[in-house]
Amino acid sequence: MKKHNFNPGPAIFPISVLQEASQAILDFNGTGLSILEISHRGSEFTAIMDETISLTKDLLGLTDDHHVLFTTGGASTQFFMLAQNLLNTQDTAAYTDTGTWANKAIKEAKAFANIKVIASSKDKNYSFIPKDLSALPAESRFLHLTSNNTIFGTQLHDWPDVPVPIVSDMSSDIFSRPIPIEKFGLIYAGAQKNLGPSGVTMVIIRKDMVRTDLTHHLPPMLDYKTFIAENSLYNTPPVFSIYGSMLTLRWIKNLGGLDAMQKINEAKAKLLYDEIDANPYFKGTVAVEDRSLMNVCFVCDQEELENEFAVDAKNAGCVNLKGHRSVGGFRASIYNAMPIESVQVLVDTMREFARRKG
């Protein structure tokens, strides 16, 4: 039976990417060496790094004013690394608290500077995206936003107009849609949702955000300037993860880029949300206007039916649907590589469940 993998991360890959990557593990481009064995300072990997950066710039509309860096440690490391690199102790930065990961980012940043939480939906179990940002301090160096909240199933659909650069954690929806790049000073994303294998983190930083006046010492591996100067090759980078990211970016470009990717993602999300809204046995958990295109959270209208539906879904090949304990119910993660045919299987299973119960 075909498995339809709704895992929130690590997420599924396009079949073509898996096929090419698996071949490269055995023999990379006829070199007689595995991609896992090539030198990170050799010409083969230099070409991979150059193409990955070029594809990133092309898809996101980056200019020569941006650096594209590859770090490790996931977004969790960036929570404190970006604060260390962008802020002196006396500086102020603004954050919104829209979910578990945003809350963790706030906690880490508070160790280094004056952090103002200007909006939060925590009191409503993060079921919506707060829109009122009027409390933004004039002296803020940046505004930090989490673009998509994987656990709670909310997403920013409209980027605010603010007088400071936006810094954003885009771990779970980068490359899923076009973005107004001119609004951002820094973007960071763990690869394991829409970009590539786990193990690498992409950081996009505008050149004017790089601080030359920091008053504290940064170890080389925590300093953006190290990664800029060494083209992310100060130490051995996660070679395979970067290679997998390059293949995924190629796949997105061949689909037609981010405009095409957005249309595909909107169609998948509409198919599933329409069924949730129409089916008397299911209901969504977040504000309709803030529903994520990446992580669809829903529960059974009668909690006692959830185990029964979970069995039906598993029997249909729909796996990794269990919701996070903070929300309960179900979470269908439908990232870029999730085909609409798999979403249709889930929808058909929901319809059959309702037919049988009704």
Side-chain angles (χ1 to χ4, degrees):
M1 177 188 293
K2 175 178 172 55
K3 298 294 184 182
H4 307 279
N5 185 4
F6 293 90
N7 201 358
I12 66 171
F13 279 82
I15 294 299
S16 60
V17 170
L18 290 176
Q19 290 170 338
E20 189 165 355
S22 62
Q23 177 57 43
I25 289 176
L26 297 174
D27 183 354
F28 175 64
N29 286 359
T31 61
L33 298 175
S34 168
I35 184 67
L36 304 176
E37 300 172 329
I38 66 170
S39 169
H40 67 289
R41 302 201 185 278
S43 59
E44 292 90 356
F45 185 68
T46 298
I48 291 170
M49 182 70 88
D50 289 346
E51 183 176 352
T52 309
I53 293 172
S54 177
L55 286 165
T56 299
K57 289 184 172 182
D58 182 31
L59 288 168
L60 292 176
L62 305 182
T63 69
D64 290 339
D65 292 329
H66 297 90
H67 297 292
V68 179
L69 313 177
F70 298 95
T71 70
T72 56
S76 295
T77 295
Q78 291 306 310
F79 295 161
F80 62 82
M81 190 170 169
L82 73 86
Q84 287 178 303
N85 277 267
L86 301 184
L87 300 169
N88 279 317
T89 305
Q90 70 275 16
D91 288 334
T92 297
Y95 279 63
T96 61
D97 180 14
T98 55
T100 299
W101 303 112
N103 190 268
K104 289 179 182 290
I106 291 165
K107 180 180 178 181
E108 293 297 325
K110 280 184 174 179
F112 301 101
N114 180 32
I115 303 302
K116 299 292 186 182
V117 180
I118 63 168
S120 176
S121 52
K122 186 174 183 179
D123 63 336
K124 301 294 185 183
N125 200 35
Y126 298 121
S127 60
F128 70 100
I129 300 287
K131 311 298 191 300
D132 183 3
L133 305 180
S134 59
L136 177 71
E139 68 274 19
S140 295
R141 300 284 306 193
F142 59 81
L143 169 63
H144 182 283
L145 302 171
T146 303
S147 60
N148 184 74
N149 299 288
T150 54
I151 289 175
F152 297 93
T154 60
Q155 186 177 26
L156 264 168
H157 295 298
D158 297 297
W159 296 98
D161 293 317
V162 289
V164 298
I166 294 174
V167 170
S168 183
D169 177 0
M170 292 190 187
S171 292
S172 52
D173 66 350
I174 195 168
F175 297 112
S176 69
R177 55 180 174 167
I179 59 171
I181 195 64
E182 69 279 359
K183 293 187 177 186
F184 297 91
L186 185 145
I187 295 167
Y188 62 101
Q192 66 275 11
K193 315 287 189 182
N194 271 336
L195 176 56
S198 58
V200 69
T201 306
M202 177 178 283
V203 176
I204 299 164
I205 183 169
R206 207 170 64 201
K207 290 180 179 178
D208 65 351
M209 296 289 287
V210 180
R211 296 290 292 265
T212 58
D213 60 341
L214 293 176
T215 56
H216 51 271
H217 169 72
L218 285 175
M221 284 299 294
L222 295 180
D223 192 338
Y224 290 146
K225 293 189 290 295
T226 301
F227 290 85
I228 292 168
E230 301 292 336
N231 195 31
S232 300
L233 295 173
Y234 178 78
N235 72 328
T236 306
V239 169
F240 182 76
S241 296
I242 295 172
Y243 172 69
S245 298
M246 181 197 75
L247 295 181
T248 303
L249 294 175
R250 276 186 189 171
W251 174 78
I252 294 172
K253 184 174 181 178
N254 289 338
L255 281 177
L258 298 188
D259 287 324
M261 195 78 257
Q262 181 177 24
K263 290 177 182 177
I264 293 169
N265 287 327
E266 287 174 344
K268 291 185 296 185
K270 184 178 187 304
L271 176 62
L272 184 49
Y273 282 122
D274 282 354
E275 180 59 29
I276 291 169
D277 292 340
N279 194 311
Y281 289 91
F282 300 96
K283 60 183 178 181
T285 59
V286 303
V288 171
E289 66 271 17
D290 298 323
R291 283 174 163 176
S292 171
L293 301 184
M294 300 285 99
N295 309 99
V296 179
C297 295
F298 60 100
V299 296
C300 278
D301 190 56
Q302 303 172 50
E303 187 176 353
E304 62 271 18
L305 295 178
E306 289 186 353
N307 287 339
E308 187 176 346
F309 176 71
V311 171
D312 283 4
K314 184 178 180 180
N315 289 339
C318 298
V319 297
N320 296 313
L321 272 173
K322 185 177 181 180
H324 191 272
R325 60 185 178 275
S326 303
V327 180
F330 305 95
R331 172 175 49 172
S333 295
I334 53 175
Y335 300 117
N336 284 355
M338 171 63 69
I340 196 167
E341 291 80 8
S342 291
V343 179
Q344 186 66 59
V345 170
L346 176 57
V347 167
D348 290 344
T349 305
M350 296 167 73
R351 289 173 180 168
E352 174 58 23
F353 183 79
R355 185 200 65 77
R356 195 173 75 247
K357 288 296 177 184

